[in-house]
Every structure is written in C-alpha cells, then in structure tokens.
C-alpha cells in the first residue's frame, strides 16, 4: 500500500479536465477558454491556485467572476 499525495491544484485540474471533456461531448466543440466563478472571499493565493489548476487542465481563463457578481446578473 502506497499513499500518494496530491496538491490542491492537481485535484482541481482533474475535476476541470473532466468538466472540459463533458462540455466537449455536450457541445461537440473543443473547450479552451473559460470564465471561472469563484467565491468572493478568495484571496490572491487561492486565485493563483485556481489559475494554476486551469493551466494544468489545458484551459485559458478569460475572466474570474466572484459569485456575488454573478448573482446580480
């Protein structure tokens, strides 16, 4: 039994990669550019970790929206 440790960015990138594949299957078009919704209370380190995860997943972040901003649209 060997324990493998993953960083938060690696786990997030696996989730994002899965979402990317599902979006491609649903739309029939490859997905590259994304808008990410994040909690308003995220600090700069958490935002950077999210950017790193999207990069690992092969995605380009066009824009970050805080969840509070999305509620008002």
């Amino acid at each position: 039994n060997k324990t493998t440790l993953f960083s938060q960015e690696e786990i997030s990138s696996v989730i994002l990669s899965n979402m990317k594949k599902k979006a491609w299957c649903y739309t029939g078009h490859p997905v590259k550019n994304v808008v990410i919704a994040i909690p308003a209370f995220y600090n700069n380190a958490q935002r950077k970790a999210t950017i790193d995860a999207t990069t690992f997943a092969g995605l380009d972040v066009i824009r970050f929206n805080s969840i509070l901003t999305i509620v008002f649209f």
Side-chain angles (χ1 to χ4, degrees):
N1 287 334
K2 188 174 183 179
T3 302
T4 304
L5 298 176
F6 295 99
S7 70
Q8 294 171 351
E9 292 87 350
E10 289 173 315
I11 294 169
S12 294
S13 70
V14 169
I15 294 168
L16 289 169
S17 293
N18 190 6
M19 293 174 68
K20 177 182 172 181
K21 289 176 190 173
K22 287 183 180 192
W24 187 352
C25 290
Y26 182 78
T27 63
H29 301 285
V31 175
K32 182 71 175 163
N33 301 318
V34 295
V35 174
I36 301 286
I38 57 172
F41 57 82
Y42 265 26
N43 62 30
N44 287 338
Q46 291 167 312
R47 290 174 192 259
K48 173 76 170 92
T50 305
I51 290 170
D52 291 344
T54 57
T55 302
F56 296 154
L59 297 167
D60 293 325
V61 177
I62 296 172
R63 180 178 171 173
F64 278 113
N65 283 336
S66 71
I67 292 176
L68 291 177
T69 304
I70 293 172
V71 170
F72 292 111
F73 279 109

